[in-house]
């Protein structure tokens, strides 16, 4: 829904905003959904241990095993993850620029993805300088993606624009609390109760501070926020009413 509004503006309309605005009564934005059977930490055999909102011991093992797999030593700070295309649209330049700030806050990062060579080389160079704080995998691996969702504490998705996005929903399902830019479907699916949302690039460090602050406030408050993430309903069944409404409107218009 947010993206449907955004593409009616010059900033997102790519020159089509006037045409889209003219037909705004026909324009509907419906969120994507995720397959709850496919993306389920309670049954996912790609993980070293299974877990669910009411039984989280397995997630602690997933975190420990992820650190071992990617070569980052155990530590007390937040573990962040990114599973993404390494392109400007995904806001990866913002993460690269703020790596020193993240490390200063005790945040470590696991990155999985491929994309533009400059970003690939930038992350690899940073990982070579700081191997104890940053692990970078320039490839795509479904199993590792799932283990990142299951083993990280927060999931970074600072996209410049995002029609909907799926990774933030999967991260929530697996208990990795999303930290996202307020745009498109990210703004529609992540709230202050289920994550951290920032608006401008300058707000990114502040959002990191909020995440660190909650982490340091104690496991009880962190666990409460994580449970809200995991219990959020982003299933396809929750999206069906939106499609039905569109079809009914179309049928009513055709009958007139």
């Amino acid at each position: 829904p947010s993206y449907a509004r955004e593409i009616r503006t010059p900033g997102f309309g790519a020159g089509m905003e006037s045409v889209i605005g003219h037909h705004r009564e026909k324009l509907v934005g419906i969120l994507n959904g995720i397959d709850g059977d496919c993306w389920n930490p309670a049954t996912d055999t790609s993980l070293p241990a299974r877990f669910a909102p009411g039984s989280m011991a397995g997630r602690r093992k997933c975190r420990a095993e992820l650190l071992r797999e990617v070569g980052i030593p155990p530590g007390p700070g937040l573990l962040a993850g990114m599973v993404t295309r390494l392109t400007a649209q995904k806001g990866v330049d913002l993460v690269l620029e703020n790596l020193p700030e993240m490390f200063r806050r005790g945040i470590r990062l696991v990155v999985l993805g491929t994309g533009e060579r400059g970003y690939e080389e930038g992350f690899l160079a940073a990982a070579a300088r700081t191997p104890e704080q940053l692990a970078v995998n320039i490839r795509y691996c479904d199993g590792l993606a799932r283990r990142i969702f299951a083993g990280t504490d927060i999931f970074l998705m600072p996209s410049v624009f995002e029609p909907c996005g799926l990774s933030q929903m999967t991260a929530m399902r697996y208990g990795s609390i999303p930290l996202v830019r307020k745009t498109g479907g990210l703004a529609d699916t992540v709230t202050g109760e289920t994550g951290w949302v920032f608006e401008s690039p300058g707000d990114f460090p502040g959002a990191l501070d909020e995440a660190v602050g909650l982490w340091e406030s104690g496991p009880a408050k962190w666990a409460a926020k994580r449970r809200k993430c995991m219990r959020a309903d982003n299933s396809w069944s929750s999206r069906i009413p939106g499609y039905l409404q569109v079809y009914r409107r179309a049928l009513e218009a055709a009958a007139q």
Side-chain angles (χ1 to χ4, degrees):
S2 288
Y3 189 67
R5 292 189 294 271
E6 289 171 352
I7 59 175
R8 291 161 51 190
T9 68
F12 292 89
M16 294 290 290
E17 59 272 7
S18 61
V19 176
I20 295 170
H22 180 73
H23 294 282
R24 60 186 176 277
E25 297 302 323
K26 304 176 185 178
L27 179 64
V28 178
I30 302 176
L31 290 170
N32 287 329
I34 58 174
D35 184 332
D37 293 327
C38 175
W39 299 100
N40 185 353
T43 59
D44 194 334
T45 58
S46 297
L47 308 182
R50 262 62 68 195
F51 57 92
S55 178
M56 296 297 289
R59 197 174 199 283
R60 290 191 289 274
K61 183 175 182 180
C62 287
R63 189 181 193 274
E65 287 298 310
L66 176 65
L67 288 170
R68 183 194 60 78
E69 181 178 359
V70 301
I72 294 178
L78 276 173
L79 181 61
M82 290 183 73
V83 178
T84 185
R85 287 182 290 110
L86 300 177
T87 66
Q89 182 241 322
K90 294 298 183 179
V92 294
D93 54 332
L94 185 62
V95 177
L96 273 171
E97 292 166 6
N98 282 277
L99 284 176
E101 289 295 312
M102 293 174 62
F103 299 155
R104 185 177 64 80
R105 290 165 170 80
I107 301 172
R108 293 162 295 161
L109 175 63
V110 182
V111 177
L112 172 64
T114 61
E116 298 172 22
R117 178 172 294 183
Y119 292 129
E120 292 182 353
E121 293 175 348
F123 274 110
L124 288 171
R129 293 192 301 270
T130 55
E132 295 187 350
Q133 296 167 295
L134 175 62
V136 177
N137 286 266
I138 303 299
R139 60 189 176 110
Y140 183 74
C141 172
D142 181 73
L144 179 55
R146 291 168 180 269
R147 291 189 289 277
I148 290 173
F149 289 131
T152 54
D153 305 307
I154 62 174
F155 189 81
L156 304 182
M157 203 164 172
S159 304
V160 177
F161 65 93
E162 194 70 61
C164 183
L166 288 169
S167 294
Q168 82 279 14
M169 301 181 199
T170 308
M172 291 164 71
R173 175 86 162 151
Y174 280 63
S176 186
I177 305 175
L179 190 155
V180 305
R181 196 186 305 237
K182 188 177 181 180
T183 187
L186 300 178
D188 294 327
T189 54
V190 180
T191 68
E193 289 193 344
T194 57
W196 296 276
V197 184
F198 68 95
E199 293 199 33
S200 67
D203 297 329
F204 182 61
L208 294 173
D209 284 336
E210 290 181 25
V212 171
L214 183 66
W215 178 260
E216 294 178 345
S217 70
K221 290 183 178 180
W222 187 271
K225 193 178 187 79
R226 186 176 59 201
R227 279 195 299 272
K228 289 181 181 179
C229 280
M230 296 182 71
R231 289 173 172 158
D233 187 2
N234 289 305
S235 65
W236 276 115
S237 59
S238 70
R239 312 307 192 214
I240 290 173
Y243 283 96
L244 291 176
Q245 184 179 28
V246 169
Y247 298 147
R248 290 188 181 114
R249 285 175 57 188
L251 288 170
E252 290 168 1
Q256 292 177 358

